[in-house]
Amino acid sequence: MSAEGRVVVHIERTGDPRARLDFVPPADISGVLAGRVPREATAIIGAVYRLCGIAQSHASAIAMEEALTLDPPTNTQVTRTVLTMAESLREHLVRIALDWPRLVGRDVNVKPLRPLFDLADRLAANYNGDMDAFAVAADCEMDIPVTLRVIAETEARLSKHIFCEPLTDWLARRSLDELFSWADRAGSGAAGIIASVRTSGGFLIGAKASDLLPADHDSLIDLCNMALGREGDVPETGVYARRANDPLIASLGQVTLGVRLVSRLVELARLPAELRAMLTGAAPAPRGGSVTHGTGSGIVEAARGLLLHRARMEDGRIADYRIMAPTQWNFHPRGIAARCLSRIDGEDMHNVEMQAHMVVQAIDPCVACEVRVH
């Protein structure tokens, strides 16, 4: 059992549905954290989680601070949020630049994008303070001029090598026809996969659009806390849930596999401007925490979806600790991945297998995934 879980997609040569999934849930590390002081817990969480490690540390810091009734300064909250957003940008970019072209048989050339693969680390080197940004009660602040220069470089590389035009121009599209025109014309791997999924028929694989998480923070915390203790219908989290109201996504008029892939591109294109707004104070840093009966909750949007940490503290040590990772939403038996996979159809096994891979890419590309054909 891994810290992040594992997915196996089974594809049947005949039958209905053609694809289904088995999900091995993440390992439970609550026993390892019990009795630890926050500093020890932070080190363990940072060492255990490879995927979305910054987001995991972020949610953990909030949960323990809430439980201890500590309120970090605004500059620390901004620093943490910027690093978490940079991690999401990096995760989207790696999947789009490396995994997407391979799925459709295109050559991979990441050389011009490689400097962005270390984006979060580069930004982490640009804050001032004598503590790790994710240590409980840390006090740190980004070096804003240096960070803005890194963001400008990021925006330029994305414009040239992913979107093949300025990000604002790409985001100005308002229909499937305009999107497909870009996919047919642009020479990037991102454009190629949108064109390929459209050609294969996979673009229109759909699932219910109503199963989105609530937007307000208190309702999210309540829903997460309930979901930790019971089975039930699981709403959609992840990049589509975050970007469903974006003007480009809203203009596409449907909720499909293709639209979920486009949502990842939309978030990648939006993040440089959103990072800039966070640094300059044009957008507030979300706190993402609450405390109920001595139990602190930390909720963070990771690249692959909603992440919840919950900590109960006694005498400065952890008495109980729970984590609900995005994969537990995404690959629940009644989650969005299972619903999308159940709608895959067709006789061409190559297309069926590619579409199964694309469902995982669209919803939670970071988790370890194996596709088996029976």
Side-chain angles (χ1 to χ4, degrees), residues 5 20 32 63 173 254 264 282 294 365 372:
R20 58 182 175 82
V32 178
R173 287 179 168 76
Q254 49 194 318
R264 196 165 300 279
R372 299 177 183 174

Side-chain angles (χ1 to χ4, degrees), residues 127-368:
Y127 64 77
N128 305 311
D130 58 0
M131 298 178 69
D132 179 351
F134 299 104
V136 168
D139 188 354
C140 55
E141 188 169 5
M142 299 297 300
D143 185 326
I144 293 177
V146 173
T147 305
L148 288 174
R149 287 197 292 272
V150 174
I151 293 170
E153 175 199 339
T154 299
E155 191 168 32
R157 290 182 185 270
L158 293 177
S159 297
K160 183 174 182 179
H161 301 292
I162 296 292
F163 297 97
C164 305
E165 62 188 20
L167 302 186
T168 52
D169 291 355
W170 188 84
L171 288 165
R173 287 179 168 76
R174 292 294 181 268
S175 69
L176 278 174
D177 287 343
E178 290 184 16
L179 182 69
F180 290 151
S181 176
W182 167 79
D184 292 337
R185 173 180 51 79
S188 70
I193 201 161
I194 297 300
S196 295
V197 173
R198 175 196 184 191
T199 300
S200 75
F203 195 94
L204 297 179
I205 294 172
K208 291 188 294 183
S210 58
D211 296 321
L212 296 178
L213 289 168
D216 64 287
H217 174 264
D218 289 341
S219 295
L220 283 173
I221 291 290
D222 290 344
L223 184 60
C224 287
N225 286 335
M226 287 189 295
L228 281 165
R230 67 173 178 82
E231 291 289 319
D233 292 338
V234 176
E236 181 169 359
T237 180
V239 67
Y240 170 73
R242 287 196 295 269
R243 301 294 172 174
N245 293 324
D246 186 274
L248 192 160
I249 297 301
S251 76
L252 302 183
Q254 49 194 318
V255 185
T256 64
L257 170 59
V259 170
R260 288 182 171 90
L261 290 170
V262 175
S263 298
R264 196 165 300 279
L265 286 170
V266 165
E267 181 150 294
L268 183 63
R270 293 281 182 200
L271 277 170
E274 291 172 353
L275 280 164
R276 194 176 293 113
M278 185 67 56
L279 282 166
T280 59
R287 174 58 181 153
S290 70
V291 61
T292 304
H293 304 304
T295 297
S297 296
I299 190 165
V300 169
E301 284 283 4
R304 55 205 173 109
L306 197 70
L307 171 64
L308 172 74
H309 282 230
R310 194 172 66 172
R312 182 167 61 83
M313 311 293 292
E314 292 180 358
D315 298 323
R317 293 181 178 271
I318 293 172
D320 184 59
Y321 203 100
R322 303 293 175 90
I323 298 172
M324 188 166 185
T327 48
Q328 291 167 268
W329 296 95
N330 296 333
F331 295 105
H332 188 280
R334 288 185 291 278
I336 185 59
R339 295 200 301 273
C340 284
L341 287 167
S342 71
R343 287 162 170 78
I344 291 177
D345 198 3
E347 299 301 322
D348 186 324
M349 287 303 298
H350 173 75
N351 273 349
V352 169
E353 188 171 354
M354 186 188 81
Q355 289 170 14
H357 276 292
M358 292 314 305
V359 166
V360 177
Q361 280 290 321
I363 294 169
D364 195 336
C366 304
V367 71

Side-chain angles (χ1 to χ4, degrees), residues 38 42 53-62 64-65 76 79-84 124 127 131-138 140:
T42 299
I54 291 175
Q56 296 278 2
S57 296
H58 191 174
S60 175
I62 296 172
M64 289 188 285
E65 287 168 347
T76 298
T79 299
R80 290 172 174 173
T81 302
V82 165
L83 294 176
T84 301
Y127 64 77
M131 298 178 69
D132 179 351
F134 299 104
V136 168
C140 55

